[in-house]
Amino acid sequence: MRFSKSFIPTLKETPSDAVVTSHILMLRSGMIRMLSAGIYSFLPIGYRVIRKVSEIIREEMNAIGGQEFHLPALNPKEIWEETGRVEAFGDILFHIKNRDYVLAPTHEEIMTFHARNVLKSYKDFPQIWYQIQTKFRNEPRPRSGVIRGRQFLMKDAYSFDISLEGLDKSYQLHDQAYRKIFDRCGLKYFVVGASSGAMGGSGSEEFMVQSDAGEDTVAHCEKCGYAANLEVAESKVEAKGREERSEKLEEIHTPNIRSIDELCEFLKIKETQCAKSRVYIHNGKPVLILMLGNEEVNESKLEKYLGSAVRPAHPEELVELTGAEAGSIGPVGYKGRIIADLRLKDANNLYSGANKTDYHYGGIDLREVQSLPAGKAGIEYGDLRQVQSGEPCPRCGSPLKVFTAIELGHIFKLGTKYSESMGAMFLDEKGEGHPIIMGSYGIGAERVMACFIEQHHDEKGIIWDATLAPFHIHLLGLNLKNEGVAKACEEIYNNLINNSYEVLFDDRLDAQAGVKFNDADLLGMPLQIIVGDKKLKTNQVEVKIRKTGERFDVELASPAGGLNKLIGKIKEIWSETVLK
């Protein structure tokens, strides 16, 4: 491709609205342009990369028996209502005004719709169906360029089996395919246990890369490899335990005390002597949650424990439900369901709110506190806490690291969630009907591209490898008004193409050498071939490896061999440096 004939609008300056490295470099290198918040156009050079990512995904999906579909992005709303996910997705789901249609954020419902109409016998299984298609999600705060947008390209795949053993096999096939895809794309990634969220199902894993641009937070152990999304992460922290002597319950006047820190300062006690109380609403009913000290409630864990969504109680609800304002709420005298974190199990000598504004209790013994959910006395206990960096790994005890990461892909064991709600049944050997057992598997193609840039760049620009690079070689002609330079560039360009290299030829007549060098480093093709009149005088051109900055003077031609020496040297450099 000739630069002068191409649309590659590079930028010298960093756009003011871009703060994430991949976003900055994708804008500066002319790969994308924003149309609206969270909506991006892929320009020719960026689209070349997306096509390469998509083809790698396609090859590995086909290798495990996947069959490619192309489903409509515009879906009848009634199909989504069969599974209740219109409500589950909430405002994230795009609705077509005055029409009974939605724009699909994913395609479980549509794949299940087709499966229930054609997969009728156990003989029809197993099946793996996939597509690479545009998705739509009405993100309230799109950010980080293409990492979190409202319209994006995603590979979504679905497996259909007749047994849990079959689902396990399909799940493992996708796990292996994902590892091959991300390996081929040159990404450093790790796999974490995760929550299924609105997708539902049982088993769930995320493939992630560590990045400050990440929207997820994970806990990771470098020693044994344990990794989990913070939504489900655990650690080996000790429970508070029970003190040998129980203090007498005592009401204490605590004027204007609204936080654990203020309470500790006022009473001169330790944080671990306190039980923080939070009230949530679940299925229209209040639930009091107790946490040790300043530990935060992990709402994903709480929802998993309760089986469905929760929301924090509003300030006006707190007074009605407990008799006190926030900061003065506690378990003593609370007539409702109470769930405490495991670290508080059977703890005594605690301080917490007295359900009376500006008052707290000391000497609380959780064994003595009675709650009355459905007539049952006692406090429930569960793992409800947010894991913190430095806590012991649940497997090996080494310190955990907590950091942000970008989700590349997510695989789910859906089970029968969708087949049961949509009536997707098959007949077994005895003629008896059963719901189809499903799995769901997604990869964000644009995220693969962005994550590669996050991991492969320097202060000058992107550093592509041979697999995803828009072009293999960037040919720079310096002073092309010189007839010898122009002739040499044309001959090199044609020979490289004939040897199956993808070449971007900077043939701009009026661009200065510094501009061409800066653009070449910004665009980041693996190899640069620099042709100038000074080197040509000694029958040489310069070859630069973008990744290392190494430079080689290579003999251009010999009377008998044409460009064989140059092409041979390019192949040698390519195999020994670029492909390693």
Side-chain angles (χ1 to χ4, degrees), residues 94 110 126 187 234 298 374 392 406 415 460 474 512 521 546 550:
F94 276 107
I110 307 308
L187 294 170
E234 300 176 359
N298 185 322
I406 300 170
K460 296 178 180 179
H474 197 145
Q512 296 180 348
D521 285 340
R546 174 66 182 91
E550 294 176 88

Side-chain angles (χ1 to χ4, degrees), residues 387-500:
V387 168
Q388 301 295 317
S389 193
E391 292 178 355
C393 170
R395 290 182 185 168
C396 71
S398 298
L400 290 171
K401 287 188 176 180
V402 175
F403 51 78
T404 56
I406 300 170
E407 177 191 325
L408 287 169
H410 205 159
I411 60 178
F412 307 86
K413 288 183 178 179
L414 297 177
T416 59
K417 172 182 169 69
Y418 295 89
S419 54
E420 285 184 343
S421 60
M422 295 185 66
M425 310 290 287
F426 72 93
L427 298 178
D428 63 16
E429 298 96 323
K430 298 177 181 179
E432 297 176 352
H434 304 277
I436 298 170
I437 299 173
M438 294 175 56
S440 176
Y441 318 88
I443 290 178
E446 294 163 14
R447 288 187 173 205
V448 171
M449 178 178 175
C451 286
F452 182 92
I453 295 172
E454 289 286 331
Q455 293 183 341
H456 301 84
H457 68 274
D458 60 16
E459 70 282 356
K460 296 178 180 179
I462 305 168
I463 304 174
W464 291 110
D465 65 7
T467 306
L468 297 187
F471 297 91
H472 299 140
I473 296 172
H474 197 145
L475 175 63
L476 289 78
L478 309 183
N479 189 17
L480 284 166
K481 294 178 182 179
N482 180 301
E483 185 177 343
V485 172
K487 182 179 179 181
C489 284
E490 289 294 337
E491 192 173 359
I492 293 169
Y493 179 58
N494 290 322
N495 270 269
L496 289 170
I497 291 174
N498 290 337
N499 279 272
S500 301

